[in-house]
Amino acid sequence: MTFDQKVIWITGASSGIGKSLAIELSKKNTKIILSSRNEAKLNEAKKKCDHQKNIKILPLDLEDYASLKAKTEEAIKLFGKIDVLFNNGGISQRSLVKDTNISVDKRILDINYLGTIALTKAVLPYFIQQKSGVFVVTTSIVGKIGTPLRSSYAASKHALHGFLIV
Ligand SMILES: NC(=O)c1ccc[n+]([C@@H]2O[C@H](COP(=O)([O-])OP(=O)(O)OC[C@H]3O[C@@H](n4cnc5c(N)ncnc54)[C@H](OP(=O)(O)O)[C@@H]3O)[C@@H](O)[C@H]2O)c1
């Protein structure tokens, strides 16, 4: 696909892969919505992008599923449409199973898996109505093969493969 004139919504855009992706895509005549929890860091990421008028900030928390339908409505209003949802936001873990509290396992699944599918399900009716739209997801090699110290992180990425990748 060409990115020309596309509206691309990126989660996890305040740092790392999402921020770099936004900077690169901003050079390709796109309109971009940057989302994550930290508004100050989103603004810093925006400043690194080309064509500032084509970049908007929309803070959200993937752990707060109930807010994501309303956030999707806000996102659509920013540029009048969405063409691509780039599901990139997530957290990681490095700990032995025996040392990892179940609250950590739950939080990783809440953010990486349930938050991502909740946002995807909020955008899906809009893509169906529009008769176009692309979902992208950043998973990991541990979404295919688990590795030591990454049990719940690997499980969350396996779950994304099961749900989103056909
Ligand atoms: N780095 C790697 O080697 C690697 C390899 C494979 C896959 N990945 C995946 O790539 C994606 C990006 O990772 P990264 O390496 O770029 O890490 P990173 O720099 O830590 O970026 C993670 C992003 O997710 C956001 N985020 C975290 N919790 C969130 C929440 N509850 N709601 C909304 N946004 C949230 C963070 O922003 P806020 O703190 O502002 O919310 C941040 O923008 C992740 O899905 C990760 O699993 C990374």
Side-chain angles (χ1 to χ4, degrees):
M1 67 177 279
T2 168
F3 290 110
D4 191 46
Q5 298 292 336
K6 294 285 191 289
V7 177
I8 303 168
W9 187 7
I10 305 172
T11 67
S14 64
S15 68
I17 293 170
K19 180 178 173 180
S20 297
L21 181 70
I23 293 166
E24 287 307 308
L25 288 174
S26 72
K27 299 171 185 164
K28 297 185 184 295
N29 200 23
T30 53
K31 293 185 168 67
I32 304 178
I33 304 166
L34 306 177
S35 287
S36 78
R37 294 163 304 175
N38 188 322
E39 190 167 358
K41 286 179 71 182
L42 287 172
N43 273 305
E44 281 171 30
K46 177 179 173 177
K47 282 187 199 144
K48 301 269 183 199
C49 291
D50 284 6
H51 309 292
Q52 292 289 297
K53 72 175 179 1
N54 290 339
I55 313 294
K56 304 275 189 198
I57 301 295
L58 181 60
L60 60 77
D61 186 348
L62 289 168
E63 201 170 359
D64 181 10
Y65 326 136
S67 68
L68 297 178
K69 271 193 181 177
K71 288 288 176 185
T72 298
E73 282 161 25
E74 279 183 61
I76 292 165
K77 283 185 192 145
L78 289 174
F79 292 113
K81 65 170 184 167
I82 298 168
D83 296 300
V84 180
L85 172 60
F86 207 115
N87 282 307
N88 171 74
I91 59 170
S92 192
Q93 160 227 10
R94 184 171 289 276
S95 54
L96 293 171
V97 169
K98 72 179 180 62
D99 298 331
T100 307
N101 190 285
I102 193 72
S103 63
V104 174
D105 301 307
K106 182 178 182 308
R107 185 150 187 263
I108 291 170
L109 285 168
D110 277 347
I111 294 171
N112 292 6
Y113 175 59
L114 291 172
T116 295
I117 70 160
L119 188 60
T120 299
K121 284 159 74 86
V123 171
L124 181 60
Y126 174 74
F127 279 0
I128 291 170
Q129 188 187 8
Q130 185 177 248
K131 295 190 168 54
S132 68
V134 176
F135 293 108
V136 184
V137 62
T138 312
T139 67
S140 167
I141 191 66
V142 303
K144 295 254 182 203
I145 307 162
T147 56
L149 304 171
R150 313 302 288 272
S151 49
S152 289
Y153 177 70
S156 71
K157 296 299 186 182
H158 271 74
L160 288 173
H161 278 253
F163 192 94
L164 279 168
I165 299 173
V166 287

